[in-house]
Amino acid sequence: MTRSKHTGRVLLIKLIPLISCFYILFFSTLARAQDTINLAIDEARPLKYATPIDTVFIANPDIADYRVVKGNQIIVFGRAVGQSSLLLFDERGRTIDSKMLVINKDLRFIRQQLAARFPNDAIQLTNLGDQVVLSGTVTSEQTRKDIYYLTGELLQKEFEQETISWEDDDDSYDIRFLNSRTYRGLINNIEIKETKQVSVRLTIAEVSHSFIQHLGVKWGTLNSEGNLLGGGNGEFLSMLNTGLNSRNIARYINAVNDDSMGQILAEPSLSVISGETASFLAGGEMPIITFVNDSQNITYKEFGVKLDLAAEVLRDDKINLTMMPEVSAIDPQNSNTKLDIPAFKTRRARTTVQLGDGESFVLGGLLNSEDREALSKIPLAGDIPVLGAMFRNTRDERQKTELIIVATVNLIQPVQPQTIQLPRLKLRNSLLRFFNLKKPPPGTPPPPVNRRATSILGAAGFKR
């Protein structure tokens, strides 16, 4: 027992110096924090002491200065941004006080302006020298940007302009509402309560109707091998075997009436955070080979369904939207087969609109109608009434295209993975497709006709 008490007393004696050092460091740090005086430019503060002041020393009078009011009272004030030491001595040379004067810009006017312009937002504005820090929480990206710009202009800070643009072939398009400024010496630490996300769904619909009608007789020739030059659906060849070099002369009877319709429908959908850009491409890239000075160059041309967009959500949940949708496909009719240069049929739009949550807007529409009529005939013979029809050929072409582009925007929230439904392929047996039979529901025996078809194909070597 005695030995354990002696051991505890020894440990306590060893810990006394450590405890003393801790208290000295704590109180010295506290004293240093209390010895710092923060002042704004042209701001004054009085200091009063019990001992009369005999000598005042200030390290940098260009930063801060003083005036002695009475024997034991002094006034210090700021001149410029910076810091300076202040030492006070009595008549015996003993130190009365030691202060560190930190001079910053006066931000009271800016705080008043921010409070008046944005009363519902909690904004803090602090500075250290020439560096100013914005902090707090706001409701939208636009409010965050407006606070930052207003503070930078009131502080008269220099800034760098950042421009976001899209490149399209040889043209460049600026997205003005996404242009931003970066002020030197102004740090924006303002946070947004909830980041807004925008979903954009485009509907691009095109309906084309073409009508071609040929009627009449057309005269032509055969090549050296005796094959028909041209020809096609609705063209009937008649060889002239008598007189005038019958091996090279042929007659085509045209009776063609083609009527075709087509529809192109693309519905790309893309989500983006407010204040950012996004792009989407469902298609491919076509290599295009060119030769310049015996050197071969390969460039790639994108085609398919393409969408570039930029969005910004405003304070009232209105959405600024800039988009450039494009639907393109290879056009074999206008391609150059000899030089192997493809042609592209492109539908493109570029616009900037402002929409509300859930609203739609028609970005563009096109109604294109083309009519062509042609008459070819043999001179004189084609002008004879009735019989001249054997020497005439008529061609009528009509083409009509309607294109419409509709945009729908929505403010969205993240969802749980189990709520997402992916598109799936409904598989069907090749045998059922061959015989055009419907697959029975699960658990239902197949009808006799299905069993009969299976046995027939199985006997013929098909896999059941």
Side-chain angles (χ1 to χ4, degrees):
M1 295 293 293
T2 306
R3 184 177 179 182
S4 62
K5 289 182 179 181
H6 178 71
T7 304
R9 190 180 300 112
V10 172
L11 291 174
L12 182 59
I13 294 173
K14 291 183 177 180
L15 288 175
I16 289 176
L18 296 177
I19 296 173
S20 302
C21 291
F22 173 78
Y23 278 105
I24 292 172
L25 291 173
F26 176 78
F27 285 109
S28 62
T29 304
L30 183 61
R32 284 198 299 270
Q34 292 176 347
D35 288 344
T36 300
I37 298 178
N38 292 303
L39 296 173
I41 298 176
D42 298 331
E43 181 185 1
R45 184 173 302 178
L47 301 176
K48 188 175 182 180
Y49 301 95
T51 305
I53 302 171
D54 181 72
T55 304
V56 180
F57 173 79
I58 193 162
N60 193 342
D62 295 332
I63 300 297
D65 209 344
Y66 70 94
R67 293 291 185 272
V68 178
V69 180
K70 293 183 180 180
N72 61 341
Q73 188 173 359
I74 187 176
I75 297 177
V76 293
F77 57 92
R79 288 183 177 274
V81 175
Q83 60 183 15
S84 179
S85 298
L86 175 68
L87 300 176
L88 305 175
F89 303 94
D90 61 7
E91 59 183 5
R92 295 184 180 182
R94 293 176 298 186
T95 302
I96 299 176
D97 197 2
S98 175
K99 301 288 186 182
M100 175 60 69
L101 305 179
V102 179
I103 314 301
N104 294 308
K105 289 185 178 181
D106 191 358
L107 302 179
R108 286 176 294 182
F109 173 73
I110 300 178
R111 291 191 182 98
Q112 292 174 359
Q113 293 296 319
L114 294 177
R117 289 282 303 276
F118 309 97
N120 299 324
D121 299 305
I123 308 167
Q124 290 80 40
L125 187 63
T126 57
N127 63 338
L128 180 60
D130 289 331
Q131 302 296 319
V132 180
V133 180
L134 278 168
S135 59
T137 305
V138 296
T139 57
S140 66
E141 177 67 26
Q142 185 187 15
T143 304
R144 181 178 183 267
K145 186 185 297 185
D146 291 344
I147 293 173
Y148 182 68
Y149 289 170
L150 177 61
T151 306
E153 293 298 325
L154 293 178
L155 290 174
Q156 298 181 352
K157 295 282 188 179
E158 297 181 355
F159 64 88
E160 295 180 359
Q161 186 78 25
E162 182 180 358
T163 302
I164 298 179
S165 60
W166 284 337
E167 302 294 335
D168 180 27
D169 296 333
D170 296 332
D171 298 328
S172 178
Y173 307 103
D174 292 340
I175 309 175
R176 295 183 180 180
F177 64 83
L178 289 187
N179 293 345
S180 61
R181 297 178 181 178
T182 302
Y183 289 91
R184 298 177 183 176
L186 180 58
I187 303 172
N188 192 1
N189 288 337
I190 298 177
E191 297 181 355
I192 303 174
K193 293 182 180 179
E194 183 180 1
T195 302
K196 301 293 181 67
Q197 300 185 66
V198 181
S199 175
V200 181
R201 180 168 59 91
L202 279 182
T203 301
I204 304 172
E206 177 183 340
V207 177
S208 60
H209 180 201
S210 61
F211 172 80
I212 301 176
Q213 185 180 54
H214 291 187
L215 185 63
V217 178
K218 185 177 180 181
W219 298 85
T221 60
L222 302 178
N223 59 13
S224 60
E225 298 177 357
N227 296 326
L228 176 65
L229 292 177
N233 184 29
E235 293 187 351
F236 305 95
L237 172 65
S238 175
M239 298 289 297
L240 299 181
N241 296 322
T242 58
L244 298 178
N245 195 2
S246 60
R247 295 185 59 187
N248 296 326
I249 299 178
R251 179 178 58 196
Y252 305 90
I253 301 176
N254 292 331
V256 180
N257 192 345
D258 292 339
D259 193 359
S260 61
M261 294 186 66
Q263 179 178 2
I264 296 176
L265 179 64
E267 289 186 309
S269 181
L270 195 60
S271 300
V272 63
I273 294 178
S274 174
E276 298 293 335
T277 61
S279 61
F280 172 89
L281 174 64
E285 294 184 349
M286 170 65 69
I288 299 176
I289 303 176
T290 57
F291 295 90
V292 179
N293 297 330
D294 297 332
S295 63
Q296 178 177 320
N297 297 326
I298 301 177
T299 58
Y300 290 88
K301 169 70 176 178
E302 295 179 346
F303 68 93
V305 181
K306 183 179 179 182
L307 174 62
D308 294 321
L309 67 88
E312 182 185 35
V313 181
L314 307 180
R315 281 188 292 268
D316 54 356
D317 282 346
K318 292 291 185 179
I319 302 169
N320 281 338
L321 187 66
T322 293
M323 64 182 66
M324 189 164 58
E326 178 180 319
V327 178
S328 59
I330 300 175
D331 187 4
Q333 294 182 353
N334 298 318
S335 300
N336 191 324
T337 57
K338 293 183 179 180
L339 300 178
D340 196 17
I341 299 177
F344 294 88
K345 182 183 293 184
T346 304
R347 280 78 69 191
R348 180 189 298 126
R350 183 182 62 86
T351 185
T352 300
V353 296
Q354 186 178 105
L355 300 174
D357 183 17
E359 294 181 348
S360 298
F361 194 83
V362 178
L363 301 182
L366 172 66
L367 178 60
N368 184 26
S369 180
E370 297 181 7
D371 295 335
R372 292 188 180 93
E373 295 183 359
L375 172 64
S376 59
K377 62 182 180 178
I378 296 178
L380 299 179
D383 297 330
I384 302 174
V386 183
L387 295 179
M390 299 294 298
F391 305 96
R392 291 194 299 266
N393 182 270
T394 60
R395 178 183 178 93
D396 295 334
E397 293 185 11
R398 294 182 179 88
Q399 186 171 1
K400 183 178 180 181
T401 302
E402 296 183 36
L403 173 67
I404 187 171
I405 302 175
V406 182
T408 303
V409 296
N410 291 279
L411 295 177
I412 59 173
Q413 298 289 339
V415 298
Q416 297 297 326
Q418 58 269 20
T419 62
I420 301 175
Q421 294 184 358
L422 299 177
R424 297 183 182 276
L425 177 64
K426 185 177 181 180
L427 300 178
R428 191 180 177 192
N429 194 304
S430 299
L431 178 63
L432 299 179
R433 293 199 307 269
F434 182 80
F435 284 98
N436 195 21
L437 301 175
K438 295 183 179 180
K439 186 176 181 180
T444 304
V449 64
N450 288 30
R451 294 195 299 268
R452 180 59 178 167
T454 303
S455 62
I456 292 174
L457 290 183
F462 289 89
K463 184 178 179 180
R464 298 185 182 180

